[in-house]
Amino acid sequence: MVVRDSSSPVMGSIPVPDSDIGKHLGTLLDSTDGADVSFTIDGETFHAHRAVLAARSPVFKAELLGSMAEATMSSITLHDMTPATFRVMLRFMYTDALPELVDSPTVTIQGLLAAADRYALDRLKLLCAQKLWDNVSVDTVATILACAEMYSCLELKNKCIGFFAVEKNFKKAVLIEGFVKLVQQFPSIIVELREKAGP
Amino acid sequence: MVVRDSSSPVMGSIPVPDSDIGKHLGTLLDSTDGADVSFTIDGETFHAHRAVLAARSPVFKAELLGSMAEATMSSITLHDMTPATFRVMLRFMYTDALPELVDSPTVTIQGLLAAADRYALDRLKLLCAQKLWDNVSVDTVATILACAEMYSCLELKNKCIGFFAVEKNFKKAVLIEGFVKLVQQFPSIIVELREKAGP
């Protein structure tokens, strides 16, 4: 026999807070407790946990847990990004969130997209793509398209080509210096633009 | 110069999927890759990752990473829960989600609440409290209050006392066998009921 009265203030549900797994892992990252791998970039050292990196990135998984991984290799030197970019990427891997980014010379969205592509962090790639796309204009679309092509970001590439296909954008966007660089770097993009944005 | 036209289907935003950190950690748990600790309960063995357990539970953190932890201790025998309850708790720690629970003799919500209290998994405690509360009735409230008292779940305890305080519930709820057990186990609850639900 159930006597409930949902209109009574006594009843109602017990609220459960939102998932806090990202917050917990962020705290672990800050504390460095139990860290079992470290990265050195330009003299800066970052401590991390193989399990978290491997869970989040198939590239780290292969490097840190695969048959190629040396169990004793606990310090890794990286050359392909800035310390600031690595710090943001690391925080993203632990928390699934991006800190408020000031697009500075040390952490650019392009640099972060490159890092996300390098480590196969698909959701971070899309977050970067979204931020780049949010700033698209006839002045920037060629450079953004070059980025999308370089880092295999199909969603962003298709959006940029669509942007070129809009009549009023086309003439302006191809007469920007970035467009010349784009077609020098990726000559085949001309074919795609002709097919999808051409006359 | 920004030429955007948000009404154009070409524009719009690039969608970013929801956080997938729980899914990633769930996959890590399933694969057991890089596991560095194991638990044995009633002959069943579970492989896990110290970093994840330590991030999620301060109790595991002290046991696995603290100064008391033996670095070589990789196999731990547990006696205070069933293998099925441990499996659900482990999955919760990695994914922050509960699988659909069949409240069976091997995994009861009470057993899970006990485990969550043992390892200080506050969000899991609230999830269990919510499920217990969702099934409250004059027949069950005394047993649920005993649970809340046993496992230090203040939200649930307050709800139960509020339930007793509702006039039409009181007489029925105190004449249930569970009520006798409750006051035998926690005699002081009588005082609290007198204060908050009494005449």
Side-chain angles (χ1 to χ4, degrees):
Chain A
M1 177 182 52
V2 178
V3 177
R4 290 182 70 110
D5 178 2
S6 60
S7 67
S8 158
V10 171
M11 297 298 294
S13 193
I14 291 182
V16 176
D18 289 339
S19 172
D20 50 13
I21 198 162
K23 187 173 150 247
H24 284 164
L25 289 173
T27 303
L28 182 75
L29 176 63
D30 290 333
S31 78
T32 74
D33 286 331
D36 53 5
V37 63
S38 69
F39 298 88
T40 303
I41 309 172
D42 284 353
E44 264 194 71
T45 299
F46 300 87
H47 299 281
H49 304 80
R50 285 165 191 254
V52 178
L53 304 186
R56 300 285 281 153
S57 156
V59 176
F60 274 125
K61 184 172 179 178
E63 287 182 2
L64 298 175
L65 302 184
S67 56
M68 302 287 285
E70 297 171 39
T72 53
M73 174 195 66
S74 62
S75 183
I76 296 167
T77 303
L78 295 181
H79 302 284
D80 50 2
M81 66 183 80
T82 65
T85 300
F86 188 76
R87 181 176 296 111
V88 171
M89 185 182 84
L90 201 55
R91 171 104 2 221
F92 174 83
M93 281 194 284
Y94 278 68
T95 64
D96 230 359
L98 275 185
E100 268 309 308
L101 287 180
V102 183
D103 199 22
S104 72
T106 50
V107 187
T108 61
I109 299 293
Q110 285 93 328
L112 202 53
L113 176 60
D117 186 49
R118 162 83 179 81
Y119 290 102
L121 302 170
D122 291 341
R123 192 166 168 273
L124 181 55
K125 281 179 73 170
L126 284 171
L127 274 168
C128 292
Q130 189 183 63
K131 283 184 188 291
L132 289 173
W133 179 247
D134 286 348
N135 288 307
V136 76
S137 71
V138 291
D139 296 310
T140 59
V141 65
T143 309
I144 294 174
L145 178 49
C147 252
E149 189 72 0
M150 178 97 82
Y151 304 120
S152 314
C153 201
L154 192 63
E155 294 82 356
L156 185 59
K157 178 178 171 176
N158 288 340
K159 285 280 193 187
C160 289
I161 290 178
F163 187 96
F164 273 106
V166 175
E167 189 64 31
K168 64 182 173 183
N169 294 334
F170 187 81
K171 260 189 168 172
K172 290 175 189 157
V174 298
L175 295 176
I176 301 286
E177 199 190 1
F179 185 76
V180 180
K181 286 190 188 161
L182 168 71
V183 295
Q184 281 173 337
Q185 204 172 4
F186 302 104
S188 68
I189 210 84
I190 286 282
V191 182
E192 293 190 67
L193 283 173
R194 198 184 300 132
E195 280 171 11
K196 291 168 189 156
Chain B
M1 178 182 52
V2 178
V3 178
R4 293 183 68 109
D5 177 1
S6 60
S7 67
S8 159
V10 170
M11 297 299 294
S13 193
I14 290 182
V16 176
D18 289 338
S19 171
D20 50 13
I21 199 162
K23 188 172 149 248
H24 284 164
L25 289 173
T27 303
L28 182 75
L29 176 63
D30 289 333
S31 77
T32 75
D33 286 331
D36 54 5
V37 63
S38 69
F39 297 88
T40 303
I41 309 172
D42 284 352
E44 264 195 71
T45 300
F46 300 87
H47 299 281
H49 305 79
R50 285 166 191 255
V52 179
L53 304 187
R56 299 286 281 152
S57 155
V59 177
F60 273 125
K61 184 170 180 179
E63 287 181 4
L64 297 175
L65 301 185
S67 57
M68 301 287 285
E70 295 171 40
T72 54
M73 174 195 66
S74 63
S75 183
I76 294 166
T77 303
L78 295 180
H79 302 284
D80 50 3
M81 67 183 81
T82 65
T85 299
F86 187 76
R87 181 177 296 111
V88 172
M89 186 182 84
L90 201 56
R91 171 107 0 224
F92 174 83
M93 279 194 285
Y94 279 69
T95 64
D96 230 358
L98 275 186
E100 268 309 308
L101 287 181
V102 182
D103 199 22
S104 72
T106 50
V107 188
T108 61
I109 299 294
Q110 284 94 329
L112 201 53
L113 176 60
D117 185 49
R118 163 82 177 81
Y119 290 101
L121 303 169
D122 291 341
R123 194 168 167 272
L124 181 55
K125 281 179 73 171
L126 284 171
L127 274 168
C128 292
Q130 188 182 66
K131 283 184 190 290
L132 289 174
W133 179 247
D134 285 348
N135 288 307
V136 77
S137 71
V138 292
D139 296 311
T140 59
V141 65
T143 309
I144 294 173
L145 179 49
C147 252
E149 189 71 0
M150 178 98 80
Y151 304 120
S152 315
C153 201
L154 192 63
E155 293 83 355
L156 186 58
K157 178 178 172 176
N158 288 340
K159 285 281 194 187
C160 288
I161 289 178
F163 187 95
F164 272 106
V166 174
E167 188 64 31
K168 66 181 174 186
N169 294 335
F170 186 81
K171 259 191 170 171
K172 290 175 188 156
V174 297
L175 295 176
I176 300 288
E177 198 190 2
F179 185 77
V180 181
K181 286 189 189 161
L182 168 71
V183 295
Q184 281 174 337
Q185 206 172 3
F186 303 104
S188 68
I189 211 85
I190 285 282
V191 182
E192 292 190 68
L193 282 174
R194 198 182 300 134
E195 280 171 10
K196 291 167 190 156

Short mmCIF file of all heavy atoms in Angstrom, two decimals, chain B residues 44-92:
data_model
loop_
_atom_site.label_atom_id
_atom_site.label_comp_id
_atom_site.label_asym_id
_atom_site.label_seq_id
_atom_site.Cartn_x
_atom_site.Cartn_y
_atom_site.Cartn_z
N GLU B 44 35.70 -13.96 -7.56
CA GLU B 44 35.65 -13.20 -8.83
C GLU B 44 36.72 -12.11 -8.80
O GLU B 44 36.90 -11.46 -7.76
CB GLU B 44 34.28 -12.56 -9.02
CG GLU B 44 33.36 -13.39 -9.88
CD GLU B 44 32.15 -12.57 -10.34
OE1 GLU B 44 32.31 -11.68 -11.19
OE2 GLU B 44 31.05 -12.84 -9.84
N THR B 45 37.39 -11.91 -9.94
CA THR B 45 38.45 -10.90 -9.99
C THR B 45 38.05 -9.75 -10.92
O THR B 45 37.49 -9.98 -11.99
CB THR B 45 39.76 -11.54 -10.47
OG1 THR B 45 40.13 -12.57 -9.53
CG2 THR B 45 40.88 -10.52 -10.52
N PHE B 46 38.34 -8.54 -10.49
CA PHE B 46 38.04 -7.34 -11.27
C PHE B 46 39.34 -6.55 -11.45
O PHE B 46 40.05 -6.32 -10.47
CB PHE B 46 37.03 -6.45 -10.52
CG PHE B 46 35.71 -7.13 -10.26
CD1 PHE B 46 35.53 -7.90 -9.12
CD2 PHE B 46 34.66 -7.00 -11.15
CE1 PHE B 46 34.31 -8.52 -8.87
CE2 PHE B 46 33.44 -7.62 -10.91
CZ PHE B 46 33.27 -8.39 -9.76
N HIS B 47 39.61 -6.14 -12.68
CA HIS B 47 40.80 -5.35 -12.95
C HIS B 47 40.42 -3.88 -13.08
O HIS B 47 39.39 -3.55 -13.66
CB HIS B 47 41.47 -5.84 -14.24
CG HIS B 47 41.90 -7.27 -14.13
ND1 HIS B 47 43.05 -7.64 -13.48
CD2 HIS B 47 41.31 -8.41 -14.57
CE1 HIS B 47 43.17 -8.96 -13.53
NE2 HIS B 47 42.12 -9.45 -14.18
N ALA B 48 41.27 -3.02 -12.55
CA ALA B 48 40.94 -1.59 -12.56
C ALA B 48 42.21 -0.75 -12.61
O ALA B 48 43.33 -1.28 -12.69
CB ALA B 48 40.09 -1.24 -11.34
N HIS B 49 41.99 0.57 -12.63
CA HIS B 49 43.08 1.53 -12.77
C HIS B 49 43.12 2.44 -11.55
O HIS B 49 42.14 3.13 -11.26
CB HIS B 49 42.86 2.36 -14.04
CG HIS B 49 42.70 1.53 -15.29
ND1 HIS B 49 41.50 0.91 -15.60
CD2 HIS B 49 43.57 1.19 -16.26
CE1 HIS B 49 41.66 0.22 -16.73
NE2 HIS B 49 42.90 0.38 -17.15
N ARG B 50 44.25 2.42 -10.86
CA ARG B 50 44.37 3.21 -9.63
C ARG B 50 44.00 4.67 -9.83
O ARG B 50 43.35 5.28 -8.98
CB ARG B 50 45.83 3.16 -9.13
CG ARG B 50 46.22 1.88 -8.49
CD ARG B 50 47.74 1.79 -8.35
NE ARG B 50 48.11 0.44 -7.98
CZ ARG B 50 48.50 0.09 -6.75
NH1 ARG B 50 48.64 0.99 -5.83
NH2 ARG B 50 48.78 -1.17 -6.49
N ALA B 51 44.45 5.25 -10.95
CA ALA B 51 44.22 6.69 -11.18
C ALA B 51 42.73 7.00 -11.19
O ALA B 51 42.28 7.99 -10.59
CB ALA B 51 44.87 7.13 -12.49
N VAL B 52 41.94 6.14 -11.85
CA VAL B 52 40.50 6.40 -11.95
C VAL B 52 39.85 6.24 -10.57
O VAL B 52 39.08 7.09 -10.13
CB VAL B 52 39.85 5.46 -12.98
CG1 VAL B 52 38.35 5.71 -13.04
CG2 VAL B 52 40.48 5.63 -14.36
N LEU B 53 40.18 5.15 -9.89
CA LEU B 53 39.58 4.92 -8.57
C LEU B 53 39.95 6.04 -7.60
O LEU B 53 39.11 6.51 -6.83
CB LEU B 53 40.03 3.56 -8.01
CG LEU B 53 39.77 2.32 -8.88
CD1 LEU B 53 40.12 1.06 -8.12
CD2 LEU B 53 38.32 2.27 -9.34
N ALA B 54 41.22 6.46 -7.66
CA ALA B 54 41.68 7.51 -6.74
C ALA B 54 41.01 8.85 -7.05
O ALA B 54 40.71 9.63 -6.15
CB ALA B 54 43.20 7.65 -6.83
N ALA B 55 40.79 9.12 -8.35
CA ALA B 55 40.13 10.37 -8.72
C ALA B 55 38.71 10.40 -8.19
O ALA B 55 38.20 11.45 -7.80
CB ALA B 55 40.13 10.54 -10.24
N ARG B 56 38.06 9.24 -8.18
CA ARG B 56 36.64 9.18 -7.88
C ARG B 56 36.31 9.00 -6.41
O ARG B 56 35.26 9.41 -5.96
CB ARG B 56 36.03 8.05 -8.70
CG ARG B 56 36.18 8.27 -10.19
CD ARG B 56 35.26 9.33 -10.71
NE ARG B 56 33.94 8.77 -10.88
CZ ARG B 56 32.83 9.48 -10.79
NH1 ARG B 56 32.88 10.77 -10.52
NH2 ARG B 56 31.68 8.90 -10.97
N SER B 57 37.20 8.34 -5.69
CA SER B 57 36.90 8.01 -4.29
C SER B 57 38.07 8.39 -3.39
O SER B 57 39.18 7.85 -3.55
CB SER B 57 36.61 6.51 -4.18
OG SER B 57 36.88 6.04 -2.86
N PRO B 58 37.83 9.28 -2.42
CA PRO B 58 38.92 9.62 -1.48
C PRO B 58 39.39 8.41 -0.70
O PRO B 58 40.55 8.37 -0.27
CB PRO B 58 38.27 10.67 -0.58
CG PRO B 58 36.81 10.62 -0.83
CD PRO B 58 36.59 10.03 -2.18
N VAL B 59 38.51 7.42 -0.50
CA VAL B 59 38.90 6.22 0.24
C VAL B 59 39.88 5.40 -0.60
O VAL B 59 40.94 4.97 -0.13
CB VAL B 59 37.67 5.39 0.63
CG1 VAL B 59 38.09 4.10 1.34
CG2 VAL B 59 36.74 6.21 1.51
N PHE B 60 39.53 5.18 -1.86
CA PHE B 60 40.46 4.47 -2.74
C PHE B 60 41.76 5.27 -2.91
O PHE B 60 42.84 4.70 -3.00
CB PHE B 60 39.83 4.21 -4.12
CG PHE B 60 39.03 2.94 -4.18
CD1 PHE B 60 37.70 2.96 -4.60
CD2 PHE B 60 39.59 1.72 -3.82
CE1 PHE B 60 36.95 1.80 -4.65
CE2 PHE B 60 38.85 0.55 -3.88
CZ PHE B 60 37.52 0.59 -4.29
N LYS B 61 41.64 6.59 -2.95
CA LYS B 61 42.84 7.41 -3.10
C LYS B 61 43.81 7.14 -1.95
O LYS B 61 45.01 6.93 -2.16
CB LYS B 61 42.47 8.89 -3.14
CG LYS B 61 43.65 9.80 -3.40
CD LYS B 61 43.21 11.22 -3.66
CE LYS B 61 44.41 12.11 -3.92
NZ LYS B 61 44.03 13.49 -4.20
N ALA B 62 43.29 7.13 -0.72
CA ALA B 62 44.14 6.87 0.45
C ALA B 62 44.70 5.45 0.40
O ALA B 62 45.88 5.21 0.69
CB ALA B 62 43.34 7.09 1.72
N GLU B 63 43.85 4.51 -0.01
CA GLU B 63 44.28 3.11 0.00
C GLU B 63 45.27 2.80 -1.12
O GLU B 63 46.17 1.98 -0.97
CB GLU B 63 43.07 2.16 -0.15
CG GLU B 63 42.23 2.09 1.12
CD GLU B 63 41.05 1.14 0.98
OE1 GLU B 63 40.92 0.48 -0.08
OE2 GLU B 63 40.24 1.06 1.93
N LEU B 64 45.08 3.47 -2.27
CA LEU B 64 45.87 3.09 -3.45
C LEU B 64 47.04 4.02 -3.73
O LEU B 64 48.02 3.61 -4.33
CB LEU B 64 44.96 3.02 -4.69
CG LEU B 64 43.84 1.99 -4.64
CD1 LEU B 64 42.94 2.12 -5.85
CD2 LEU B 64 44.41 0.57 -4.57
N LEU B 65 46.92 5.28 -3.34
CA LEU B 65 47.99 6.23 -3.66
C LEU B 65 48.63 6.86 -2.42
O LEU B 65 49.68 7.47 -2.52
CB LEU B 65 47.45 7.37 -4.54
CG LEU B 65 46.82 7.00 -5.88
CD1 LEU B 65 46.48 8.28 -6.64
CD2 LEU B 65 47.75 6.13 -6.72
N GLY B 66 48.00 6.73 -1.30
CA GLY B 66 48.50 7.40 -0.10
C GLY B 66 49.79 6.77 0.41
O GLY B 66 50.30 5.80 -0.16
N SER B 67 50.28 7.36 1.49
CA SER B 67 51.55 6.87 2.06
C SER B 67 51.38 5.47 2.62
O SER B 67 52.35 4.74 2.79
CB SER B 67 52.02 7.82 3.16
OG SER B 67 51.01 7.94 4.14
N MET B 68 50.12 5.08 2.90
CA MET B 68 49.86 3.74 3.42
C MET B 68 49.87 2.69 2.32
O MET B 68 49.93 1.50 2.57
CB MET B 68 48.49 3.70 4.11
CG MET B 68 48.32 4.67 5.27
SD MET B 68 49.24 4.11 6.71
CE MET B 68 48.17 2.75 7.25
N ALA B 69 49.72 3.16 1.08
CA ALA B 69 49.60 2.20 -0.03
C ALA B 69 50.96 1.55 -0.31
O ALA B 69 51.98 2.22 -0.36
CB ALA B 69 49.11 2.93 -1.28
N GLU B 70 50.92 0.26 -0.49
CA GLU B 70 52.14 -0.42 -0.92
C GLU B 70 52.16 -0.41 -2.44
O GLU B 70 51.21 -0.82 -3.09
CB GLU B 70 52.14 -1.87 -0.43
CG GLU B 70 52.18 -1.99 1.09
CD GLU B 70 51.96 -3.43 1.53
OE1 GLU B 70 52.51 -4.33 0.87
OE2 GLU B 70 51.26 -3.64 2.52
N ALA B 71 53.24 0.08 -2.99
CA ALA B 71 53.32 0.23 -4.44
C ALA B 71 53.17 -1.13 -5.14
O ALA B 71 52.68 -1.22 -6.26
CB ALA B 71 54.65 0.85 -4.83
N THR B 72 53.58 -2.16 -4.47
CA THR B 72 53.55 -3.48 -5.10
C THR B 72 52.22 -4.20 -4.90
O THR B 72 51.97 -5.21 -5.54
CB THR B 72 54.66 -4.36 -4.51
OG1 THR B 72 54.51 -4.37 -3.09
CG2 THR B 72 56.03 -3.83 -4.87
N MET B 73 51.39 -3.67 -4.00
CA MET B 73 50.12 -4.33 -3.71
C MET B 73 49.16 -4.15 -4.88
O MET B 73 48.56 -3.11 -5.04
CB MET B 73 49.52 -3.74 -2.44
CG MET B 73 48.13 -4.24 -2.12
SD MET B 73 47.34 -3.17 -0.88
CE MET B 73 47.19 -1.64 -1.80
N SER B 74 49.07 -5.15 -5.73
CA SER B 74 48.24 -4.97 -6.90
C SER B 74 46.98 -5.82 -6.84
O SER B 74 46.12 -5.72 -7.69
CB SER B 74 49.03 -5.31 -8.16
OG SER B 74 49.41 -6.65 -8.12
N SER B 75 46.88 -6.68 -5.83
CA SER B 75 45.68 -7.52 -5.72
C SER B 75 45.09 -7.34 -4.32
O SER B 75 45.77 -7.52 -3.32
CB SER B 75 46.04 -8.97 -5.96
OG SER B 75 44.88 -9.74 -5.92
N ILE B 76 43.83 -6.96 -4.28
CA ILE B 76 43.18 -6.65 -3.02
C ILE B 76 41.95 -7.55 -2.88
O ILE B 76 41.17 -7.69 -3.82
CB ILE B 76 42.75 -5.17 -3.01
CG1 ILE B 76 44.00 -4.27 -3.03
CG2 ILE B 76 41.89 -4.84 -1.80
CD1 ILE B 76 43.71 -2.83 -3.35
N THR B 77 41.81 -8.15 -1.72
CA THR B 77 40.64 -8.99 -1.47
C THR B 77 39.62 -8.21 -0.66
O THR B 77 39.97 -7.59 0.35
CB THR B 77 41.06 -10.27 -0.71
OG1 THR B 77 42.05 -10.94 -1.49
CG2 THR B 77 39.87 -11.20 -0.53
N LEU B 78 38.39 -8.19 -1.15
CA LEU B 78 37.32 -7.47 -0.44
C LEU B 78 36.30 -8.47 0.11
O LEU B 78 36.05 -9.51 -0.50
CB LEU B 78 36.60 -6.51 -1.40
CG LEU B 78 37.41 -5.34 -1.96
CD1 LEU B 78 36.54 -4.48 -2.87
CD2 LEU B 78 37.98 -4.49 -0.84
N HIS B 79 35.75 -8.14 1.26
CA HIS B 79 34.79 -9.03 1.89
C HIS B 79 33.45 -8.36 2.15
O HIS B 79 32.50 -9.03 2.50
CB HIS B 79 35.35 -9.53 3.24
CG HIS B 79 36.66 -10.23 3.10
ND1 HIS B 79 36.78 -11.51 2.62
CD2 HIS B 79 37.92 -9.80 3.36
CE1 HIS B 79 38.07 -11.86 2.61
NE2 HIS B 79 38.77 -10.83 3.04
N ASP B 80 33.42 -7.01 1.99
CA ASP B 80 32.25 -6.31 2.50
C ASP B 80 31.16 -6.03 1.47
O ASP B 80 30.29 -5.20 1.71
CB ASP B 80 32.67 -5.02 3.22
CG ASP B 80 33.62 -4.18 2.38
OD1 ASP B 80 33.90 -4.59 1.23
OD2 ASP B 80 34.08 -3.13 2.86
N MET B 81 31.21 -6.68 0.32
CA MET B 81 30.10 -6.55 -0.63
C MET B 81 30.11 -7.74 -1.58
O MET B 81 31.08 -8.50 -1.62
CB MET B 81 30.17 -5.23 -1.39
CG MET B 81 31.34 -5.08 -2.34
SD MET B 81 31.37 -3.46 -3.12
CE MET B 81 32.11 -2.46 -1.83
N THR B 82 29.01 -7.88 -2.32
CA THR B 82 28.94 -8.99 -3.28
C THR B 82 29.68 -8.59 -4.56
O THR B 82 29.85 -7.40 -4.85
CB THR B 82 27.48 -9.31 -3.66
OG1 THR B 82 26.94 -8.17 -4.36
CG2 THR B 82 26.63 -9.61 -2.44
N PRO B 83 30.14 -9.59 -5.33
CA PRO B 83 30.79 -9.27 -6.61
C PRO B 83 29.87 -8.42 -7.50
O PRO B 83 30.34 -7.48 -8.15
CB PRO B 83 31.03 -10.64 -7.25
CG PRO B 83 31.05 -11.60 -6.11
CD PRO B 83 30.11 -11.04 -5.08
N ALA B 84 28.58 -8.73 -7.51
CA ALA B 84 27.65 -7.99 -8.39
C ALA B 84 27.57 -6.52 -7.98
O ALA B 84 27.51 -5.63 -8.82
CB ALA B 84 26.27 -8.65 -8.35
N THR B 85 27.55 -6.27 -6.67
CA THR B 85 27.50 -4.88 -6.19
C THR B 85 28.79 -4.15 -6.55
O THR B 85 28.77 -3.00 -7.01
CB THR B 85 27.28 -4.84 -4.66
OG1 THR B 85 26.04 -5.48 -4.37
CG2 THR B 85 27.27 -3.42 -4.13
N PHE B 86 29.93 -4.84 -6.39
CA PHE B 86 31.21 -4.22 -6.74
C PHE B 86 31.25 -3.88 -8.23
O PHE B 86 31.73 -2.82 -8.63
CB PHE B 86 32.38 -5.13 -6.37
CG PHE B 86 33.72 -4.47 -6.55
CD1 PHE B 86 34.18 -3.53 -5.62
CD2 PHE B 86 34.53 -4.76 -7.64
CE1 PHE B 86 35.40 -2.90 -5.78
CE2 PHE B 86 35.76 -4.14 -7.81
CZ PHE B 86 36.19 -3.21 -6.87
N ARG B 87 30.71 -4.79 -9.05
CA ARG B 87 30.71 -4.55 -10.50
C ARG B 87 29.95 -3.27 -10.84
O ARG B 87 30.40 -2.46 -11.65
CB ARG B 87 30.11 -5.75 -11.24
CG ARG B 87 30.11 -5.58 -12.76
CD ARG B 87 29.58 -6.80 -13.52
NE ARG B 87 30.42 -7.96 -13.32
CZ ARG B 87 30.10 -9.04 -12.63
NH1 ARG B 87 28.90 -9.15 -12.09
NH2 ARG B 87 30.94 -10.04 -12.50
N VAL B 88 28.80 -3.09 -10.22
CA VAL B 88 27.99 -1.89 -10.48
C VAL B 88 28.72 -0.64 -9.97
O VAL B 88 28.77 0.38 -10.65
CB VAL B 88 26.59 -2.02 -9.82
CG1 VAL B 88 25.83 -0.70 -9.92
CG2 VAL B 88 25.79 -3.14 -10.48
N MET B 89 29.31 -0.75 -8.78
CA MET B 89 30.03 0.39 -8.22
C MET B 89 31.22 0.78 -9.10
O MET B 89 31.48 1.97 -9.36
CB MET B 89 30.50 0.07 -6.81
CG MET B 89 31.12 1.26 -6.10
SD MET B 89 31.75 0.87 -4.45
CE MET B 89 33.37 0.20 -4.83
N LEU B 90 31.93 -0.22 -9.58
CA LEU B 90 33.09 0.01 -10.44
C LEU B 90 32.64 0.73 -11.72
O LEU B 90 33.24 1.72 -12.14
CB LEU B 90 33.73 -1.34 -10.77
CG LEU B 90 35.18 -1.36 -11.22
CD1 LEU B 90 36.11 -0.70 -10.23
CD2 LEU B 90 35.63 -2.82 -11.46
N ARG B 91 31.58 0.23 -12.32
CA ARG B 91 31.06 0.85 -13.56
C ARG B 91 30.65 2.30 -13.29
O ARG B 91 30.92 3.19 -14.09
CB ARG B 91 29.89 0.01 -14.09
CG ARG B 91 29.10 0.60 -15.23
CD ARG B 91 29.29 -0.02 -16.62
NE ARG B 91 30.18 -1.11 -16.77
CZ ARG B 91 31.07 -1.21 -17.78
NH1 ARG B 91 31.15 -0.26 -18.69
NH2 ARG B 91 31.85 -2.25 -17.86
N PHE B 92 30.02 2.52 -12.16
CA PHE B 92 29.63 3.90 -11.81
C PHE B 92 30.87 4.78 -11.68
O PHE B 92 30.88 5.92 -12.16
CB PHE B 92 28.84 3.94 -10.50
CG PHE B 92 28.57 5.36 -10.06
CD1 PHE B 92 27.50 6.06 -10.58
CD2 PHE B 92 29.43 6.00 -9.17
CE1 PHE B 92 27.28 7.39 -10.22
CE2 PHE B 92 29.22 7.32 -8.81
CZ PHE B 92 28.14 8.01 -9.34
#
